[in-house]
Amino acid sequence: MMILQLSPLPSPPINRHKLTKVIRRQAMVKVQGMAKESGEGSGVEAAAIVGGLVATPVIGWSLYTLKTTGCGLPPGPGGSIGALEGVSYLVVVGIVAWSLYTKTKTGSGLPNGPFALLGAVEGLSYLSLLAIILVFALQFFEQGSIPGPLPTDQCFG
């Protein structure tokens, strides 16, 4: 019977200077990659933060007005308040849709953003959507309809 014994090959001498350079280069690439990831979409995140922080109080005002008067916000000068109301609803729906898309793709919601404002806006948007559903349902069951998006004679005639 023959036994085959493998002996390890002699390893080449390690040049510590080259090894240190390689490790530093890999660390720099990793840090730069992280910086690019966190910087991506910062304009979109900032717009979502500002839009959400403006939209959620406007929706609160709109829902309160709808519940107490049966009508939405008045059109305002040149229709500016009514337009702000409509855009606010779209902003909240957009943030919730973005959050749900991110949740399905990554398994978690939107990133917190600077000072955790994007996370706060995400939570406020979900609460606003819940309030919208609740107040619209109550309005429908009490009045039999929900006011349309355009001013009518019934509300602002």
Side-chain angles (χ1 to χ4, degrees):
M1 175 151 79
M2 181 184 242
I3 298 177
L4 182 65
Q5 182 177 4
L6 297 173
S7 63
L9 295 173
S11 61
I14 296 175
N15 186 341
R16 291 182 188 257
H17 182 67
K18 282 186 178 181
L19 183 62
T20 305
K21 277 186 175 181
V22 169
I23 291 172
R24 283 184 187 165
R25 186 175 301 134
Q26 287 176 346
M28 285 177 35
V29 169
K30 188 179 284 189
V31 169
Q32 286 174 353
M34 292 168 121
K36 286 181 183 177
E37 286 177 13
S38 65
E40 289 177 6
S42 61
V44 174
E45 289 176 4
I49 290 169
V50 171
L53 289 176
V54 170
T56 50
V58 170
I59 288 178
W61 178 29
S62 170
L63 294 176
Y64 174 76
T65 305
L66 176 63
K67 187 66 184 121
T68 56
T69 67
C71 300
L73 295 177
S80 58
I81 296 175
L84 179 63
E85 178 185 24
V87 170
S88 295
Y89 280 94
L90 293 175
V91 166
V92 165
V93 168
I95 291 171
V96 169
W98 181 26
S99 171
L100 291 173
Y101 173 77
T102 305
K103 181 78 170 171
T104 58
K105 289 299 222 182
T106 64
S108 63
L110 297 177
N112 281 334
F115 305 108
L117 286 174
L118 187 57
V121 164
E122 179 183 16
L124 288 172
S125 295
Y126 276 105
L127 289 174
S128 294
L129 185 63
L130 181 65
I132 290 166
I133 293 168
L134 179 67
V135 171
F136 278 21
L138 288 172
Q139 178 74 15
F140 182 76
F141 289 124
E142 290 174 2
Q143 305 290 326
S145 66
I146 298 171
L150 298 175
T152 61
D153 291 337
Q154 175 189 0
C155 291
F156 307 108

